[in-house]
Short mmCIF file of all heavy atoms in Angstrom, two decimals:
data_model
loop_
_atom_site.label_atom_id
_atom_site.label_comp_id
_atom_site.label_asym_id
_atom_site.label_seq_id
_atom_site.Cartn_x
_atom_site.Cartn_y
_atom_site.Cartn_z
N LEU A 493 119.73 97.46 94.63
CA LEU A 493 120.17 97.15 96.00
C LEU A 493 121.70 97.09 96.07
O LEU A 493 122.31 97.59 97.02
CB LEU A 493 119.54 95.84 96.47
CG LEU A 493 119.92 95.38 97.87
CD1 LEU A 493 119.60 96.45 98.92
CD2 LEU A 493 119.20 94.07 98.24
N SER A 494 122.30 96.51 95.03
CA SER A 494 123.77 96.38 95.05
C SER A 494 124.41 97.78 95.14
O SER A 494 125.45 97.96 95.76
CB SER A 494 124.26 95.65 93.80
OG SER A 494 124.23 96.50 92.68
N MET A 495 123.72 98.76 94.53
CA MET A 495 124.27 100.12 94.53
C MET A 495 123.97 100.88 95.82
O MET A 495 124.41 102.02 96.00
CB MET A 495 123.73 100.90 93.33
CG MET A 495 124.29 100.36 92.03
SD MET A 495 123.48 101.09 90.61
CE MET A 495 124.20 102.71 90.60
N GLN A 496 123.23 100.26 96.73
CA GLN A 496 123.02 100.91 98.04
C GLN A 496 124.18 100.62 98.99
O GLN A 496 124.21 101.12 100.11
CB GLN A 496 121.70 100.41 98.67
CG GLN A 496 120.45 100.88 97.95
CD GLN A 496 120.19 102.36 98.14
OE1 GLN A 496 120.30 102.88 99.24
NE2 GLN A 496 119.88 103.05 97.06
N TYR A 497 125.11 99.80 98.54
CA TYR A 497 126.20 99.37 99.41
C TYR A 497 126.87 100.54 100.14
O TYR A 497 126.99 100.56 101.37
CB TYR A 497 127.23 98.59 98.58
CG TYR A 497 128.34 98.00 99.40
CD1 TYR A 497 128.19 96.74 99.97
CD2 TYR A 497 129.52 98.69 99.61
CE1 TYR A 497 129.20 96.19 100.73
CE2 TYR A 497 130.54 98.14 100.37
CZ TYR A 497 130.38 96.90 100.92
OH TYR A 497 131.37 96.35 101.68
N GLN A 498 127.32 101.53 99.34
CA GLN A 498 128.05 102.65 99.94
C GLN A 498 127.16 103.48 100.87
O GLN A 498 127.63 104.05 101.83
CB GLN A 498 128.62 103.56 98.85
CG GLN A 498 129.78 102.96 98.09
CD GLN A 498 131.04 102.91 98.94
OE1 GLN A 498 131.11 103.51 100.01
NE2 GLN A 498 132.02 102.18 98.47
N TYR A 499 125.88 103.54 100.52
CA TYR A 499 124.95 104.33 101.35
C TYR A 499 124.81 103.69 102.72
O TYR A 499 124.82 104.35 103.75
CB TYR A 499 123.58 104.44 100.67
CG TYR A 499 123.58 105.27 99.42
CD1 TYR A 499 123.99 104.73 98.20
CD2 TYR A 499 123.21 106.61 99.46
CE1 TYR A 499 124.02 105.49 97.05
CE2 TYR A 499 123.23 107.39 98.31
CZ TYR A 499 123.64 106.83 97.11
OH TYR A 499 123.67 107.60 95.98
N LEU A 500 124.66 102.35 102.72
CA LEU A 500 124.50 101.65 103.99
C LEU A 500 125.80 101.71 104.80
O LEU A 500 125.79 101.89 106.01
CB LEU A 500 124.08 100.20 103.74
CG LEU A 500 122.69 100.05 103.09
CD1 LEU A 500 122.45 98.61 102.63
CD2 LEU A 500 121.58 100.47 104.05
N LYS A 501 126.93 101.58 104.10
CA LYS A 501 128.23 101.68 104.77
C LYS A 501 128.41 103.08 105.36
O LYS A 501 128.86 103.24 106.49
CB LYS A 501 129.37 101.43 103.78
CG LYS A 501 129.55 99.97 103.45
CD LYS A 501 130.29 99.28 104.59
CE LYS A 501 130.41 97.79 104.29
NZ LYS A 501 130.59 96.97 105.49
N GLN A 502 128.06 104.06 104.54
CA GLN A 502 128.26 105.45 104.96
C GLN A 502 127.46 105.73 106.24
O GLN A 502 127.89 106.48 107.10
CB GLN A 502 127.82 106.36 103.81
CG GLN A 502 128.36 107.76 103.85
CD GLN A 502 127.37 108.73 104.46
OE1 GLN A 502 126.21 108.41 104.64
NE2 GLN A 502 127.85 109.91 104.79
N LYS A 503 126.30 105.07 106.37
CA LYS A 503 125.48 105.27 107.56
C LYS A 503 125.88 104.31 108.67
O LYS A 503 125.20 104.24 109.70
CB LYS A 503 124.00 105.08 107.21
CG LYS A 503 123.49 106.16 106.26
CD LYS A 503 121.99 106.04 106.08
CE LYS A 503 121.43 107.22 105.33
NZ LYS A 503 121.17 106.95 103.90
N ASN A 504 126.92 103.52 108.44
CA ASN A 504 127.42 102.61 109.46
C ASN A 504 126.45 101.52 109.87
O ASN A 504 126.40 101.13 111.04
CB ASN A 504 127.73 103.42 110.71
CG ASN A 504 129.19 103.35 111.00
OD1 ASN A 504 129.82 102.34 110.66
ND2 ASN A 504 129.73 104.40 111.59
N ILE A 505 125.67 101.05 108.92
CA ILE A 505 124.67 100.01 109.21
C ILE A 505 125.34 98.65 109.13
O ILE A 505 126.06 98.34 108.17
CB ILE A 505 123.51 100.07 108.18
CG1 ILE A 505 122.84 101.44 108.19
CG2 ILE A 505 122.50 98.96 108.43
CD1 ILE A 505 122.18 101.82 109.48
N ASN A 506 125.08 97.84 110.14
CA ASN A 506 125.66 96.49 110.17
C ASN A 506 124.78 95.55 109.35
O ASN A 506 124.11 94.68 109.88
CB ASN A 506 125.74 96.00 111.62
CG ASN A 506 126.38 94.64 111.73
OD1 ASN A 506 127.32 94.32 110.99
ND2 ASN A 506 125.85 93.80 112.62
N PHE A 507 124.76 95.73 108.03
CA PHE A 507 123.84 94.92 107.22
C PHE A 507 124.47 93.61 106.78
O PHE A 507 125.69 93.45 106.77
CB PHE A 507 123.34 95.73 106.02
CG PHE A 507 124.40 96.09 105.01
CD1 PHE A 507 124.53 95.37 103.84
CD2 PHE A 507 125.26 97.15 105.24
CE1 PHE A 507 125.50 95.69 102.90
CE2 PHE A 507 126.24 97.48 104.31
CZ PHE A 507 126.36 96.74 103.14
N TYR A 508 123.60 92.68 106.41
CA TYR A 508 124.04 91.36 105.96
C TYR A 508 124.39 91.42 104.48
O TYR A 508 123.55 91.77 103.65
CB TYR A 508 122.90 90.37 106.22
CG TYR A 508 123.01 89.05 105.51
CD1 TYR A 508 124.02 88.14 105.83
CD2 TYR A 508 122.08 88.69 104.54
CE1 TYR A 508 124.10 86.93 105.18
CE2 TYR A 508 122.16 87.47 103.88
CZ TYR A 508 123.17 86.59 104.20
OH TYR A 508 123.25 85.39 103.55
N GLU A 509 125.64 91.09 104.15
CA GLU A 509 126.07 91.18 102.75
C GLU A 509 125.71 89.90 102.02
O GLU A 509 126.54 89.04 101.76
CB GLU A 509 127.57 91.47 102.68
CG GLU A 509 127.92 92.86 103.14
CD GLU A 509 129.38 93.24 102.92
OE1 GLU A 509 129.99 92.75 101.94
OE2 GLU A 509 129.90 94.00 103.74
#
Side-chain angles (χ1 to χ4, degrees):
L493 179 56
S494 76
M495 291 171 75
Q496 291 289 315
Y497 185 87
Q498 289 288 349
Y499 292 82
L500 295 169
K501 283 282 177 203
Q502 200 263 347
K503 294 187 171 100
N504 244 330
I505 302 297
N506 183 37
F507 66 101
Y508 164 67
E509 290 187 31

